Amino acid sequence: MVPLSWYLALSAVLFTVGVIGVLIQRNVISLFMCIELMLNAVNLSLVTFSRLHGNVTGQLFVFIVMAVAAAEAAVGLAIIIALFRSRETLNVDEADLLKL
Amino acid sequence: MGSSFRALPQGRATDTLFDNIMEFSHILFLGFAALAVVAAFNVILQRNPIYSAIGLIVVLCSLAALFLTLGAQFIAAMQIIVYAGAIMVLFVFVIMLLNVRAEETRIDKQKYLKWLAAPLFLALLAEVMAVVRQVNLTPRPLESANVVTNPENVLGTVENIANGMFTYYVIPFEAASVLILMAIVGSMLLARRERQEDVERIEKALAGQQEEEEEKYKEEVAA
């Protein structure tokens, strides 16, 4: 059996990579994918703790997270389409209409 | 204390060492973990979003395999079906719909973020690793993952998940379904292209309102 801390370490690495992706990417779709990456890292740690306690609750949380991620992806991509229609760009730096 | 007693533990010791190094689950974990990390870096370093999407699909699939090694069969299946299936198809669809090329003219307004990224990466990683080291992890062994011989030891089957979801966690489940319904309606409303006649009707109505207000204002001034 692999030590469960390895799974947590992998989860930490994936989450950190997602955070860095949000910092260095400027394309709004790529930013969105980095957020999905972070959600998946958290899912991995939830499943790991579920295995640690021999309890299925963590996996139920993962299921709910997946439902929320699906809803978020649908609404977010619709917003991206609307943004592209009005601004003709996907660069997040260009979408600064509210900025003074 | 004969020599035969001593020979057995020694043999066992090398066996366990061999098990610890070369156990199949270790190889499985290391392989899929390496794949996931490499693909995650691919997600964040690619300029073209379609390559990022492919990297993300690889991450999702290898995480599904890791879920299987953690005894979460149902979640692994959901990961493939919902994430790699539905959500990533949505992503690829939008990327192709918007016909995004690799970012041609990169007018980077926030260059400092890139230099901030590497130290932040290391700091965040060190922080999380310190927390992980403090957690004392001794998993309760699942004796067998065989549904037929001892079903109570299997963790993430559909039956166990359903038992939890439709009894104690039924309210979050229903809330999630309402959320998804709202997301369907909201995304259709947001992504809908406004028809030309609708736009004209709205503009006409607004113009009419303006005329009415002007007339009212004139009447007030005259009075």
Side-chain angles (χ1 to χ4, degrees), chain A residues 33 36 40 43 66 69-70 73, chain B residues 52-65 67 75-93:
Chain A
M33 284 191 270
E36 296 289 327
N40 268 283
N43 278 356
M66 278 183 188
Chain B
S52 297
I54 289 167
L56 191 54
I57 290 171
V58 173
V59 174
L60 298 175
C61 290
S62 45
L63 280 187
F67 288 165
I75 294 298
M78 279 298 111
Q79 176 91 356
I80 298 285
I81 295 169
V82 175
Y83 254 120
I87 295 180
M88 288 317 294
V89 166
L90 202 60
F91 269 97
V92 174
F93 172 73

Short mmCIF file of all heavy atoms in Angstrom, two decimals, chain A residues 33 36 40 43 66 69-70 73, chain B residues 52-65 67 75-93:
data_model
loop_
_atom_site.label_atom_id
_atom_site.label_comp_id
_atom_site.label_asym_id
_atom_site.label_seq_id
_atom_site.Cartn_x
_atom_site.Cartn_y
_atom_site.Cartn_z
N MET A 33 -9.18 26.42 -17.17
CA MET A 33 -8.67 25.05 -17.04
C MET A 33 -7.76 24.92 -15.82
O MET A 33 -7.74 23.87 -15.18
CB MET A 33 -7.95 24.65 -18.32
CG MET A 33 -8.92 24.34 -19.42
SD MET A 33 -8.17 23.56 -20.82
CE MET A 33 -7.73 24.97 -21.76
N GLU A 36 -9.98 24.28 -12.98
CA GLU A 36 -10.40 22.87 -12.96
C GLU A 36 -9.30 21.99 -12.37
O GLU A 36 -9.57 21.04 -11.64
CB GLU A 36 -10.72 22.41 -14.38
CG GLU A 36 -11.88 23.11 -15.02
CD GLU A 36 -13.20 22.72 -14.39
OE1 GLU A 36 -13.35 21.58 -13.97
OE2 GLU A 36 -14.08 23.59 -14.32
N ASN A 40 -9.53 19.55 -9.10
CA ASN A 40 -9.20 18.13 -9.12
C ASN A 40 -8.18 17.77 -8.06
O ASN A 40 -8.24 16.68 -7.49
CB ASN A 40 -8.69 17.74 -10.49
CG ASN A 40 -9.81 17.27 -11.35
OD1 ASN A 40 -10.26 16.16 -11.19
ND2 ASN A 40 -10.30 18.12 -12.21
N ASN A 43 -10.08 17.38 -5.00
CA ASN A 43 -10.81 16.11 -5.06
C ASN A 43 -9.92 14.96 -4.65
O ASN A 43 -10.35 14.05 -3.93
CB ASN A 43 -11.32 15.87 -6.48
CG ASN A 43 -12.60 16.60 -6.76
OD1 ASN A 43 -13.15 17.24 -5.86
ND2 ASN A 43 -13.06 16.52 -7.97
N MET A 66 -17.92 17.80 -8.14
CA MET A 66 -18.04 17.58 -9.58
C MET A 66 -19.29 18.27 -10.13
O MET A 66 -19.25 18.88 -11.22
CB MET A 66 -18.11 16.09 -9.87
CG MET A 66 -16.77 15.42 -9.90
SD MET A 66 -16.98 13.71 -10.32
CE MET A 66 -15.33 13.14 -10.05
N ALA A 69 -18.59 21.88 -10.29
CA ALA A 69 -17.65 22.18 -11.37
C ALA A 69 -18.34 22.15 -12.72
O ALA A 69 -18.05 22.98 -13.59
CB ALA A 69 -16.50 21.17 -11.35
N ALA A 70 -19.28 21.22 -12.90
CA ALA A 70 -20.02 21.18 -14.16
C ALA A 70 -20.83 22.44 -14.35
O ALA A 70 -20.82 23.06 -15.43
CB ALA A 70 -20.91 19.94 -14.19
N ALA A 73 -18.50 25.33 -15.09
CA ALA A 73 -17.95 25.29 -16.44
C ALA A 73 -18.99 25.77 -17.44
O ALA A 73 -18.68 26.56 -18.35
CB ALA A 73 -17.49 23.88 -16.78
N SER B 52 -3.53 22.82 -23.93
CA SER B 52 -3.82 22.83 -22.50
C SER B 52 -4.97 21.89 -22.18
O SER B 52 -4.94 21.14 -21.20
CB SER B 52 -4.19 24.23 -22.03
OG SER B 52 -3.13 25.10 -22.21
N ALA B 53 -6.00 21.90 -23.05
CA ALA B 53 -7.16 21.05 -22.82
C ALA B 53 -6.76 19.58 -22.87
O ALA B 53 -7.20 18.77 -22.04
CB ALA B 53 -8.24 21.34 -23.85
N ILE B 54 -5.89 19.23 -23.83
CA ILE B 54 -5.45 17.84 -23.93
C ILE B 54 -4.66 17.44 -22.69
O ILE B 54 -4.83 16.36 -22.13
CB ILE B 54 -4.64 17.63 -25.22
CG1 ILE B 54 -5.60 17.71 -26.42
CG2 ILE B 54 -3.95 16.29 -25.22
CD1 ILE B 54 -4.92 17.84 -27.74
N GLY B 55 -3.79 18.36 -22.20
CA GLY B 55 -3.06 18.09 -20.97
C GLY B 55 -3.99 17.87 -19.79
O GLY B 55 -3.78 16.97 -18.98
N LEU B 56 -5.05 18.69 -19.74
CA LEU B 56 -6.00 18.55 -18.63
C LEU B 56 -6.72 17.22 -18.70
O LEU B 56 -6.98 16.58 -17.66
CB LEU B 56 -7.00 19.71 -18.66
CG LEU B 56 -7.88 19.84 -17.42
CD1 LEU B 56 -7.04 19.92 -16.18
CD2 LEU B 56 -8.77 21.05 -17.53
N ILE B 57 -7.02 16.75 -19.92
CA ILE B 57 -7.68 15.45 -20.05
C ILE B 57 -6.77 14.35 -19.52
O ILE B 57 -7.22 13.43 -18.82
CB ILE B 57 -8.07 15.19 -21.53
CG1 ILE B 57 -9.21 16.13 -21.93
CG2 ILE B 57 -8.51 13.76 -21.73
CD1 ILE B 57 -9.52 16.12 -23.39
N VAL B 58 -5.46 14.45 -19.82
CA VAL B 58 -4.52 13.44 -19.31
C VAL B 58 -4.48 13.48 -17.78
O VAL B 58 -4.49 12.43 -17.11
CB VAL B 58 -3.12 13.68 -19.91
CG1 VAL B 58 -2.11 12.75 -19.27
CG2 VAL B 58 -3.14 13.46 -21.40
N VAL B 59 -4.46 14.69 -17.19
CA VAL B 59 -4.48 14.81 -15.73
C VAL B 59 -5.72 14.13 -15.16
O VAL B 59 -5.64 13.36 -14.19
CB VAL B 59 -4.46 16.29 -15.30
CG1 VAL B 59 -4.63 16.41 -13.81
CG2 VAL B 59 -3.16 16.93 -15.70
N LEU B 60 -6.87 14.39 -15.78
CA LEU B 60 -8.12 13.85 -15.25
C LEU B 60 -8.13 12.33 -15.31
O LEU B 60 -8.54 11.66 -14.36
CB LEU B 60 -9.30 14.41 -16.04
CG LEU B 60 -9.50 15.91 -15.98
CD1 LEU B 60 -10.62 16.34 -16.90
CD2 LEU B 60 -9.80 16.34 -14.57
N CYS B 61 -7.61 11.77 -16.42
CA CYS B 61 -7.62 10.32 -16.56
C CYS B 61 -6.66 9.67 -15.56
O CYS B 61 -6.99 8.65 -14.95
CB CYS B 61 -7.27 9.92 -17.99
SG CYS B 61 -8.58 10.34 -19.15
N SER B 62 -5.48 10.28 -15.37
CA SER B 62 -4.56 9.66 -14.42
C SER B 62 -5.08 9.80 -12.99
O SER B 62 -4.87 8.91 -12.16
CB SER B 62 -3.15 10.23 -14.56
OG SER B 62 -3.18 11.60 -14.67
N LEU B 63 -5.79 10.90 -12.70
CA LEU B 63 -6.39 11.00 -11.37
C LEU B 63 -7.49 9.95 -11.19
O LEU B 63 -7.66 9.43 -10.09
CB LEU B 63 -6.98 12.40 -11.17
CG LEU B 63 -5.97 13.48 -10.78
CD1 LEU B 63 -6.69 14.76 -10.45
CD2 LEU B 63 -5.15 13.05 -9.60
N ALA B 64 -8.20 9.64 -12.26
CA ALA B 64 -9.21 8.58 -12.16
C ALA B 64 -8.55 7.25 -11.80
O ALA B 64 -9.06 6.51 -10.96
CB ALA B 64 -9.96 8.46 -13.48
N ALA B 65 -7.39 6.97 -12.40
CA ALA B 65 -6.67 5.75 -12.07
C ALA B 65 -6.23 5.76 -10.61
O ALA B 65 -6.31 4.75 -9.90
CB ALA B 65 -5.46 5.59 -12.98
N PHE B 67 -7.75 7.34 -8.19
CA PHE B 67 -8.95 7.12 -7.39
C PHE B 67 -9.24 5.62 -7.25
O PHE B 67 -9.68 5.16 -6.20
CB PHE B 67 -10.15 7.81 -8.02
CG PHE B 67 -10.14 9.30 -7.91
CD1 PHE B 67 -10.97 10.08 -8.69
CD2 PHE B 67 -9.29 9.93 -7.02
CE1 PHE B 67 -10.95 11.46 -8.58
CE2 PHE B 67 -9.26 11.30 -6.91
CZ PHE B 67 -10.10 12.06 -7.70
N ILE B 75 -16.32 7.05 -7.94
CA ILE B 75 -15.80 8.38 -8.23
C ILE B 75 -14.88 8.33 -9.45
O ILE B 75 -14.86 9.26 -10.26
CB ILE B 75 -15.07 8.93 -6.99
CG1 ILE B 75 -16.07 9.16 -5.86
CG2 ILE B 75 -14.37 10.23 -7.31
CD1 ILE B 75 -17.12 10.17 -6.17
N ALA B 76 -14.12 7.24 -9.58
CA ALA B 76 -13.24 7.12 -10.75
C ALA B 76 -14.07 7.09 -12.03
O ALA B 76 -13.73 7.77 -13.01
CB ALA B 76 -12.40 5.86 -10.63
N ALA B 77 -15.17 6.33 -12.00
CA ALA B 77 -16.03 6.28 -13.18
C ALA B 77 -16.63 7.65 -13.47
O ALA B 77 -16.68 8.10 -14.62
CB ALA B 77 -17.13 5.24 -12.99
N MET B 78 -17.07 8.33 -12.40
CA MET B 78 -17.64 9.67 -12.57
C MET B 78 -16.61 10.64 -13.12
O MET B 78 -16.92 11.52 -13.92
CB MET B 78 -18.15 10.20 -11.23
CG MET B 78 -19.49 9.69 -10.82
SD MET B 78 -20.77 10.18 -11.97
CE MET B 78 -21.16 8.62 -12.70
N GLN B 79 -15.37 10.48 -12.66
CA GLN B 79 -14.29 11.36 -13.14
C GLN B 79 -14.16 11.25 -14.65
O GLN B 79 -14.05 12.26 -15.35
CB GLN B 79 -12.99 10.95 -12.45
CG GLN B 79 -11.77 11.69 -12.91
CD GLN B 79 -11.52 12.92 -12.09
OE1 GLN B 79 -12.29 13.26 -11.22
NE2 GLN B 79 -10.45 13.61 -12.38
N ILE B 80 -14.17 10.01 -15.15
CA ILE B 80 -14.05 9.82 -16.59
C ILE B 80 -15.30 10.35 -17.31
O ILE B 80 -15.21 11.09 -18.29
CB ILE B 80 -13.84 8.33 -16.93
CG1 ILE B 80 -12.55 7.83 -16.31
CG2 ILE B 80 -13.84 8.12 -18.42
CD1 ILE B 80 -11.32 8.28 -17.01
N ILE B 81 -16.48 9.99 -16.78
CA ILE B 81 -17.71 10.30 -17.51
C ILE B 81 -17.99 11.80 -17.46
O ILE B 81 -18.22 12.45 -18.48
CB ILE B 81 -18.89 9.51 -16.92
CG1 ILE B 81 -18.69 8.01 -17.14
CG2 ILE B 81 -20.19 9.94 -17.56
CD1 ILE B 81 -19.64 7.15 -16.38
N VAL B 82 -17.99 12.37 -16.24
CA VAL B 82 -18.40 13.77 -16.09
C VAL B 82 -17.28 14.71 -16.49
O VAL B 82 -17.47 15.61 -17.30
CB VAL B 82 -18.85 14.04 -14.64
CG1 VAL B 82 -19.16 15.51 -14.47
CG2 VAL B 82 -20.07 13.22 -14.31
N TYR B 83 -16.07 14.50 -15.93
CA TYR B 83 -15.00 15.45 -16.17
C TYR B 83 -14.41 15.29 -17.56
O TYR B 83 -14.52 16.17 -18.41
CB TYR B 83 -13.90 15.29 -15.12
CG TYR B 83 -13.88 16.39 -14.11
CD1 TYR B 83 -14.04 16.15 -12.76
CD2 TYR B 83 -13.71 17.70 -14.52
CE1 TYR B 83 -14.04 17.17 -11.84
CE2 TYR B 83 -13.69 18.72 -13.61
CZ TYR B 83 -13.86 18.45 -12.27
OH TYR B 83 -13.85 19.46 -11.37
N ALA B 84 -13.79 14.12 -17.79
CA ALA B 84 -13.13 13.93 -19.08
C ALA B 84 -14.14 13.86 -20.21
O ALA B 84 -13.84 14.23 -21.34
CB ALA B 84 -12.29 12.66 -19.03
N GLY B 85 -15.37 13.41 -19.89
CA GLY B 85 -16.38 13.34 -20.93
C GLY B 85 -17.06 14.67 -21.15
O GLY B 85 -16.84 15.34 -22.16
N ALA B 86 -17.90 15.06 -20.18
CA ALA B 86 -18.79 16.20 -20.42
C ALA B 86 -18.07 17.54 -20.36
O ALA B 86 -18.12 18.33 -21.30
CB ALA B 86 -19.92 16.16 -19.40
N ILE B 87 -17.35 17.80 -19.27
CA ILE B 87 -16.81 19.14 -19.06
C ILE B 87 -15.74 19.45 -20.09
O ILE B 87 -15.70 20.54 -20.67
CB ILE B 87 -16.28 19.27 -17.62
CG1 ILE B 87 -17.43 19.14 -16.63
CG2 ILE B 87 -15.58 20.59 -17.43
CD1 ILE B 87 -17.03 19.26 -15.20
N MET B 88 -14.86 18.46 -20.36
CA MET B 88 -13.78 18.75 -21.30
C MET B 88 -14.30 18.88 -22.73
O MET B 88 -13.75 19.64 -23.52
CB MET B 88 -12.70 17.67 -21.22
CG MET B 88 -11.89 17.73 -19.97
SD MET B 88 -11.43 19.39 -19.49
CE MET B 88 -10.35 19.82 -20.82
N VAL B 89 -15.38 18.15 -23.05
CA VAL B 89 -15.98 18.33 -24.37
C VAL B 89 -16.52 19.75 -24.50
O VAL B 89 -16.36 20.40 -25.54
CB VAL B 89 -17.09 17.28 -24.59
CG1 VAL B 89 -17.96 17.65 -25.76
CG2 VAL B 89 -16.48 15.92 -24.81
N LEU B 90 -17.11 20.25 -23.41
CA LEU B 90 -17.59 21.63 -23.40
C LEU B 90 -16.44 22.60 -23.65
O LEU B 90 -16.55 23.53 -24.46
CB LEU B 90 -18.25 21.91 -22.05
CG LEU B 90 -19.26 23.04 -21.97
CD1 LEU B 90 -20.40 22.77 -22.90
CD2 LEU B 90 -19.75 23.17 -20.55
N PHE B 91 -15.31 22.36 -22.97
CA PHE B 91 -14.14 23.23 -23.14
C PHE B 91 -13.66 23.22 -24.59
O PHE B 91 -13.46 24.28 -25.20
CB PHE B 91 -13.00 22.77 -22.22
CG PHE B 91 -13.01 23.43 -20.89
CD1 PHE B 91 -13.57 22.81 -19.80
CD2 PHE B 91 -12.44 24.68 -20.72
CE1 PHE B 91 -13.59 23.42 -18.57
CE2 PHE B 91 -12.45 25.28 -19.50
CZ PHE B 91 -13.03 24.65 -18.42
N VAL B 92 -13.47 22.01 -25.12
CA VAL B 92 -12.95 21.89 -26.48
C VAL B 92 -13.93 22.51 -27.47
O VAL B 92 -13.54 23.19 -28.43
CB VAL B 92 -12.67 20.41 -26.80
CG1 VAL B 92 -12.27 20.25 -28.25
CG2 VAL B 92 -11.56 19.89 -25.91
N PHE B 93 -15.22 22.33 -27.21
CA PHE B 93 -16.25 22.91 -28.07
C PHE B 93 -16.13 24.43 -28.09
O PHE B 93 -16.15 25.06 -29.15
CB PHE B 93 -17.62 22.49 -27.56
CG PHE B 93 -18.76 23.20 -28.25
CD1 PHE B 93 -19.10 22.88 -29.54
CD2 PHE B 93 -19.48 24.18 -27.58
CE1 PHE B 93 -20.13 23.53 -30.17
CE2 PHE B 93 -20.51 24.83 -28.20
CZ PHE B 93 -20.84 24.52 -29.50
#
